[in-house]
Every structure is written in C-alpha cells, then in structure tokens.
Amino acid sequence: MNRDTIIGFVLIALVLIGFSWYNSPSKEQIEAARMQDSIAAVTQEKAEKAAQQEAANKKQAEEAQKVDSTALFFGALNGTSQKVVLKNSKVELTLDTKGGVIKKAKILDYQDLNGDKDLTLFDEKDQNLNFMLAGKNDNIVTADLYFIPSEQTDSTVTMTAQAQNGGKVILKYRLGKDYLLGFSLQAKGLANAFAPSYKEMEIEWTDHCRQHEKGFSFENRYTSIFYKEANGGSTDNLTETSDENEVVEEQLDWVAFRNQFFSIALISKDNFARNADLTSKLDEKGTGYLKQFDAKLKTAFDPTGQKPSEFEMYIGPNNFRLIQDVEEQSTFGKELDLEQLVNLGWWLFRLINRWFTLYVFDWLASFGFSMGIVLILITILLKVITYPMVKKSYMSSAKMRVLKPKLEEATKQYNKPEDQMKKQQEMMSLYSKYGVSPMGGCLPMLIQMPIWIAMFWFVPNAIQLRGQSFLWMSDLSTYDPILEWNTNIWGIGDHLSLTCILFCGAQLLYTWFSMQQQKDQMVGAQAEQMKMMQWMMYIMPLMFFFIFNDYSSGLNFYYFISLFFSAAIMWTLRKTTDDEKLLAILEAKYQENKNNPKKQSGLAARLEALQKQSEELQRQRKNGYKK
C-alpha cells in the first residue's frame, strides 16, 4: 500500500467521522426519541393487556353461557331490545323489552331547560326499575330478561318473559287519561321455582335526577325523596341539603323522587314492607344533575300466580289541584295524600296556603290574568284584609307619638339609673289613664307575619309561575339576572337578581320609615335602646340579599310590591291623621279615667299593676334584709 492510498483512506475516514458527527442528534432529540420509544412500549403493553382481558372476558362469557343454558329463563336472557311507546295528551312513556320497564318519560307541553316544547323527565341513562325474585335455584331479575310485547295499544301493553318450563313473568301496563300509570307483575306456572314460604319480592329503583330549571341551587333546595307511611300515616322526606341514607321502619304507601316542579311516585297496592332503604346523594353544579336517588323496597308477591303484585306510578307536575284529581283515579282505595308533594310549608303555613292562598290564587287565575297580575292582586287583597289590623297598629303608635311630650315632662325627674323602674311605672300609669296600650302596635303585625312566611313557601312551589313572563322577568319561577358571570362567589353565586335588589332596597326604605315613626314615640331609655336596635334593623335588608338573590323573581316581586303597598298605607295614614284632634280625644279619655279610676283597663293597666306588685315585693325584701 503506497502513501497515496493511505492518505486517501485517512481522508475518507475523516469525511465519514465528520458527517456522522454533523448528523448526530442533540440531547433534546435523544430524549424525545427515548420518550417516543417509552410511549410505544406502554401502548404495546396496554394493547397486549387489553387483548388478554378481552380473551378472558370472552372465555368468561362462554362459561357463563354454558351455565345460563340450564337457567330457568335461559331463552329470555337473550334477545333484541325494542321500544314500546304508551302515550296520551299529557305524557309519552317509552318502555324497553329489555327489562320490561319504563326507560324514558316525557311530560308534554312543559318546556325544558333547553327551550324544547316537551320536557324529558328521565331516560334510560338516568333511571332504572328492577324487580328481583329469589327462587330456590335461580334468582329472577327482570333487568336481565327480554320481554315479548303483546296486546299493545296507545295506552296498554303486556310484556311477557318466557321460562324454560313453560312458566312466565308478565308485566301489564295501562296508562290513564293523564299522569297515572297502572301496572302489575305476575308469575304464572312458576310455583315450584320458589320456596313455600317466599312471600315478598325486592325492588330496586334508582334515578339520577336531572336539572330542569335555570337555578341549580334553588331547584336542589326543593329536590328530595318523599315517602308516606301506610294506614293513614304521615308524609316525610330525606334532607335536601346533604347526603342522607334512611331506613324507614314503617310500612309505606308510596315512595317518590321529587324535584321542584315534577315528581315520579311509585305506589304499591299492598304497601312497601318495613325497612325500606332510601338514599339521596348530592351532585355538583354544572353536571346537569341535582341528586342521585336509590330506593331498595320490598312488597308482597304471590308465587302461585293467582294474585298479581299491583302498582301505580304518578309521573307528572307538582300541581296541587291536578294531583288531587289524579289521586281520585287510583283504584287502590287509599288516602294517598300525593298532594303533599307540593311543598306548602310547615303545618301552620300549610294550613294558610291550603285553605286560603290556593283558593284565592285559583280564583284570580281563572279570570285569565297573567301570573304577575295575579301576584299583584293577591297582594292587594291581603292588604285589604289586614288593613284594620294595620290601622289599629298605626293608631296605637300615633297615640304614643302625640303623648311623647307629656310623658317626657311627667318623667323628667326620673333620669337617674336607679329611678328607671319608677320612670317606667309612671309611664305605664299615664298610658293607662290615657287609654293607650304600648303593645297595641305589635300584635297586629305578628298576625300578618304568618302570611308573609306562607307566601315564602307558596310562590316558589307554584308550578303555574313556571315559564311565565311579566315585565322584565322572563320566568317568574326562577331568578331574573341583571348581571351574570361564570365564577361562583360565596354568598352571592354567579348572578345579581334585579327583583332581589328591588326587594332589599324597598326593605331598607321601609325600615327607615318605620324607625322614624318609632323614634317619634320613644321616651327616655326606650329612645336610647332604639338607637342601638336601628343598626340591626338596617342590616336585615343586606342579609335578605344574600338569602334571596337565588330565589325566584316571583317571590322577590311579591315581597317588593307588598312592601310598596305597606309603605303607601303607612304614608297615607300619617298624612290623614290629625295629631291635635287625636290628642284632644286622649285628653278627654284622661279626664274620664281621672274621674273614674276604676274604669282604667287594658294591657297598660295590667302592666302598671304588675310593676306595683314587683316594687312592693322588692320593698318588703329590703325591709327583711334590714331586720
């Protein structure tokens, strides 16, 4: 090998080394390649595991098929899912031959959250009803069976699951004229499949309760599992504000999954057995759901097939009068009290709403007025009814106002702290002589308070307000946002409600007006106490804002116009009251009582007598201590 050949090999080597170095990957590229190789390895590993799992599942299914081939309902375990629709002018119910139960319920002519004409209360993703029969050798679970539909019309259908031995499980459905569905479950030719002592079947009913209204928190507040105890028992429900599981020890007539405006109630002719297991779990805002409901129930079952297990199901709106009418269609002969699904408040407020507000509301609505006008007319009617009490309250305050100078003059010598009891006694004596009751302004206002609270329950649960617009309010059953944002702020939420702002503003002005009136009649220490109390009174409207910002615009509107009329009445009474004439009447009363002391009566006289007794008792105690 000569020198030129050696030089040539060296040059070629240098070129190859330089080219390799130039094209070698950077550290970043090496790391990226390494990551890619790792991902590929993981992907391959997952694919291999998935293939292994699929093979295992296939093998398990084949083994299960071999076992199931000897099962009582082997033929009914295989089939094709078909939809069967029952429909009237109110509801459309879709049944599935797989399981033989309702998989979808649509309430007609009630707009849903998306603006569609009809509202889907639930579908197959949300709810399931499953009947479970414990046999000697095989458990019969209706959710696993394929049923064959027959005798089908728009309102009736028979679902049959055929057994290997010629027996069958039959589900019969009959849809009424509106929202009541009757159905039964019967096992024929299967007596030998059950133990002689077997008398009860299990029912598992679940529902993922959808959000149907704009206000998630507000709707959630009225969503819960309700149930009624059998044999004339009371109605109760699980808490709406937290997760809860309850085992009810009494037999039940029915169990219902209820949200703000719609309910699904399952009724058993032979009652649900003791120890029904009910569970409610909260869902997060933004999921489109409110709560998850689960009811584990038991009811009577005749294994001989002579008597079917009968049920009824109410699927419809929470309308008090409507539910009363539907309940009359029940063939079970029970006092179901399904109208308890309409939450009218605690017992006192429920009585007011049940026997007064409902009748007035229905009467005014019968004239064809819009719901906003109905709320205004109800407010006016309530103000007319309570006007005598309001006037009595005002006149009692007016009497104390015109007497204030005389009270201050008569009690000015009792300004020392130790003389406050004597001062109070002197004031009570003067009130009694003038025929004035210092408590006269309180009692009428206390009588009005239950009406305010009753409306707090009635308006948010009045489905007649749902979707009804008035003035700027597009829906009286939910809040009317003047401003909205995406972030949830504690205490406020994600919006500002205009009617809530108007209500709180009116409450603030009315509080100021009332405080001014009370200030004009307070004497001495009372006036000082009022200064401390007024700040608490001014805080109330702010508290109301945080409470009512999420409430329905209809309720806030009612409170707003109610305060407006209250202020107008108080202003009118103030302008039409002649203080000089009123003082002259009180002076005449004073002279009459002065000439006839025994004629003094009323609360003021009783308070004066009690204070004298208290003062005498204290004097005797002091004398006793001195001895």
Side-chain angles (χ1 to χ4, degrees):
M1 183 180 295
N2 58 26
R3 186 182 63 180
D4 293 337
T5 302
I6 294 172
I7 293 173
F9 278 120
V10 171
L11 291 174
I12 292 172
L14 291 174
V15 170
L16 291 173
I17 292 170
F19 183 78
S20 299
W21 175 82
Y22 179 77
N23 287 282
S24 64
S26 63
K27 291 182 179 179
E28 291 79 5
Q29 291 173 322
I30 293 172
E31 185 64 27
R34 186 179 301 165
M35 288 290 293
Q36 188 173 0
D37 292 341
S38 299
I39 293 172
V42 170
T43 303
Q44 184 177 359
E45 183 179 355
K46 287 184 177 179
E48 291 175 355
K49 288 183 178 180
Q52 293 173 0
Q53 183 64 40
E54 184 178 356
N57 292 341
K58 186 176 180 180
K59 184 177 180 181
Q60 184 178 0
E62 290 174 352
E63 291 176 354
Q65 186 72 14
K66 292 177 182 178
V67 175
D68 290 340
S69 65
T70 64
L72 181 62
F73 278 87
F74 170 70
L77 292 171
N78 299 277
T80 303
S81 173
Q82 300 178 39
K83 306 300 181 185
V84 176
V85 176
L86 303 181
K87 185 177 181 180
N88 58 25
S89 61
K90 304 294 185 181
V91 295
E92 180 181 299
L93 306 177
T94 302
L95 287 73
D96 197 329
T97 55
K98 174 67 183 297
V101 294
I102 304 171
K103 292 296 184 179
K104 184 177 182 180
K106 186 178 288 187
I107 311 295
L108 306 181
D109 298 323
Y110 279 92
Q111 193 175 60
D112 70 2
L113 189 59
N114 299 318
D116 294 335
K117 178 178 178 294
D118 302 322
L119 181 142
T120 298
L121 195 57
F122 63 85
D123 62 19
E124 58 187 355
K125 301 189 303 295
D126 307 326
Q127 185 170 141
N128 188 52
L129 179 62
N130 188 18
F131 300 92
M132 293 168 286
L133 308 173
K136 289 188 291 186
N137 299 315
D138 300 296
N139 292 330
I140 303 172
V141 181
T142 58
D144 297 335
L145 304 181
Y146 286 87
F147 290 76
I148 301 172
S150 62
E151 303 175 9
Q152 183 179 351
T153 67
D154 287 343
S155 59
T156 62
V157 68
T158 298
M159 296 278 200
T160 304
Q162 193 72 44
Q164 298 280 69
N165 66 350
K168 59 187 71 173
V169 171
I170 303 171
L171 285 165
K172 289 187 176 182
Y173 292 90
R174 181 184 58 81
L175 178 61
K177 64 180 181 179
D178 38 41
Y179 301 101
L180 192 66
L181 175 73
F183 66 99
S184 64
L185 185 148
Q186 189 174 16
K188 288 189 175 181
L190 297 173
N192 294 330
F194 303 100
S197 61
Y198 186 68
K199 300 296 181 182
E200 284 185 340
M201 67 174 168
E202 297 182 30
I203 303 171
E204 188 173 66
W205 186 28
T206 61
D207 182 39
H208 205 178
C209 187
R210 288 188 177 190
Q211 178 183 348
H212 297 296
E213 314 304 325
K214 181 169 66 174
F216 172 85
S217 300
F218 191 65
E219 186 181 5
N220 219 344
R221 194 175 294 130
Y222 294 95
T223 301
S224 181
I225 298 181
F226 277 65
Y227 58 88
K228 180 186 176 296
E229 296 175 358
N231 305 315
S234 60
T235 304
D236 205 348
N237 64 281
L238 271 61
T239 180
E240 298 94 340
T241 56
S242 62
D243 296 348
E244 185 178 8
N245 172 255
E246 182 176 352
V247 176
V248 185
E249 296 180 357
E250 303 296 327
Q251 290 188 1
L252 303 178
D253 278 332
W254 51 261
V255 174
F257 297 156
R258 194 208 84 157
N259 70 357
Q260 185 180 2
F261 290 127
F262 302 95
S263 292
I264 313 150
L266 181 62
I267 309 159
S268 174
K269 183 177 182 178
D270 298 313
N271 303 336
F272 293 115
R274 300 175 187 274
N275 300 319
D277 191 345
L278 308 177
T279 304
S280 173
K281 293 183 179 180
L282 294 170
D283 269 307
E284 294 291 332
K285 184 176 182 179
T287 61
Y289 292 93
L290 302 169
K291 291 182 172 74
Q292 297 181 52
F293 294 145
D294 189 357
K296 293 181 174 62
L297 312 167
K298 291 183 179 180
T299 192
F301 172 72
D302 180 11
T304 67
Q306 296 180 8
K307 178 184 177 183
S309 299
E310 296 184 63
F311 305 90
E312 289 177 337
M313 184 175 278
Y314 175 78
I315 306 171
N318 298 334
N319 183 312
F320 193 91
R321 300 298 185 201
L322 172 65
I323 292 177
Q324 282 186 318
D325 293 339
V326 170
E327 186 172 329
E328 292 180 359
Q329 302 170 26
S330 173
T331 60
F332 292 169
K334 294 183 175 185
E335 288 292 333
L336 295 175
D337 290 332
L338 279 171
E339 62 270 17
Q340 296 284 341
L341 292 171
V342 182
N343 194 345
L344 297 179
W346 303 323
W347 70 271
L348 173 61
F349 312 121
R350 186 174 184 85
L351 286 176
I352 295 172
N353 285 326
R354 171 68 180 84
W355 300 107
F356 174 77
T357 313
L358 268 171
Y359 282 97
V360 173
F361 188 87
D362 292 342
W363 175 63
L364 292 174
S366 67
F367 290 100
F369 297 125
S370 70
M371 290 297 105
I373 297 297
V374 168
L375 288 175
I376 293 174
L377 293 177
I378 287 179
T379 307
I380 293 174
L381 180 61
L382 290 174
K383 293 302 177 186
V384 170
I385 293 174
T386 58
Y387 177 76
M389 293 182 290
V390 172
K391 184 176 181 180
K392 182 179 179 181
S393 173
Y394 173 80
M395 293 308 298
S396 179
S397 300
K399 290 175 183 178
M400 295 174 67
R401 183 182 70 247
V402 298
L403 287 176
K404 180 179 178 180
K406 292 184 175 293
L407 290 172
E408 289 178 336
E409 179 65 26
T411 60
K412 64 182 181 180
Q413 68 271 29
Y414 303 116
N415 287 329
K416 296 180 180 179
E418 59 269 22
D419 295 334
Q420 290 305 305
M421 181 173 289
K422 292 182 179 180
K423 184 173 185 176
Q424 192 70 18
Q425 181 180 336
E426 182 65 22
M427 288 173 59
M428 291 297 103
S429 177
L430 286 171
Y431 281 139
S432 178
K433 291 174 182 177
Y434 280 102
V436 175
S437 172
M439 299 297 291
C442 299
L443 185 59
M445 297 305 294
L446 291 176
I447 295 175
Q448 292 184 83
M449 188 58 65
I451 298 176
W452 260 60
I453 300 176
M455 293 299 288
F456 172 83
W457 290 101
F458 178 80
V459 175
N461 289 286
I463 194 172
Q464 295 89 338
L465 301 181
R466 187 179 186 271
Q468 298 296 311
S469 61
F470 184 68
L471 299 177
W472 68 88
M473 295 165 282
S474 60
D475 187 348
L476 289 168
S477 70
T478 188
Y479 59 83
D480 55 323
I482 191 176
L483 185 64
E484 291 184 280
W485 53 87
N486 294 326
T487 305
N488 189 63
I489 300 177
W490 183 86
I492 298 178
D494 56 4
H495 65 275
L496 290 177
S497 174
L498 178 56
T499 50
C500 180
I501 294 172
L502 292 175
F503 160 48
C504 294
Q507 178 69 33
L508 186 63
L509 292 174
Y510 183 75
T511 299
W512 178 84
F513 186 75
S514 300
M515 296 297 290
Q516 292 300 313
Q517 284 209 150
Q518 293 181 24
K519 188 189 299 182
D520 292 341
Q521 68 190 43
M522 296 299 175
V523 179
Q526 292 179 335
E528 294 300 321
Q529 293 173 0
M530 181 57 62
K531 289 180 181 179
M532 299 175 61
M533 186 179 296
Q534 66 181 355
W535 296 111
M536 297 177 61
M537 297 298 292
Y538 287 140
I539 291 175
M540 286 296 293
L542 181 61
M543 294 175 60
F544 283 153
F545 171 76
F546 290 107
I547 295 172
F548 286 91
N549 186 51
D550 208 34
Y551 271 67
S552 68
S553 57
L555 181 64
N556 282 319
F557 180 69
Y558 165 76
Y559 282 151
F560 168 65
I561 57 177
S562 179
L563 286 167
F564 172 81
F565 283 117
S566 294
I569 291 171
M570 296 296 287
W571 182 84
T572 303
L573 288 172
R574 183 70 177 88
K575 290 296 183 181
T576 55
T577 300
D578 189 333
D579 287 359
E580 293 183 1
K581 184 178 180 179
L582 181 61
L583 182 59
I585 294 173
L586 292 174
E587 289 290 357
K589 187 72 174 178
Y590 176 80
Q591 292 299 326
E592 182 182 350
N593 289 333
K594 185 177 181 181
N595 296 330
N596 187 11
K598 294 182 179 180
K599 198 172 180 180
Q600 297 182 39
S601 61
L603 180 61
R606 289 193 292 273
L607 288 174
E608 180 186 2
L610 287 173
Q611 285 193 336
K612 285 182 178 180
Q613 292 177 9
S614 177
E615 188 178 42
E616 178 63 21
L617 183 61
Q618 288 184 359
R619 186 183 63 78
Q620 291 177 1
R621 286 178 177 175
K622 287 181 179 179
N623 292 337
Y625 291 148
K626 288 179 180 179
K627 292 178 181 180

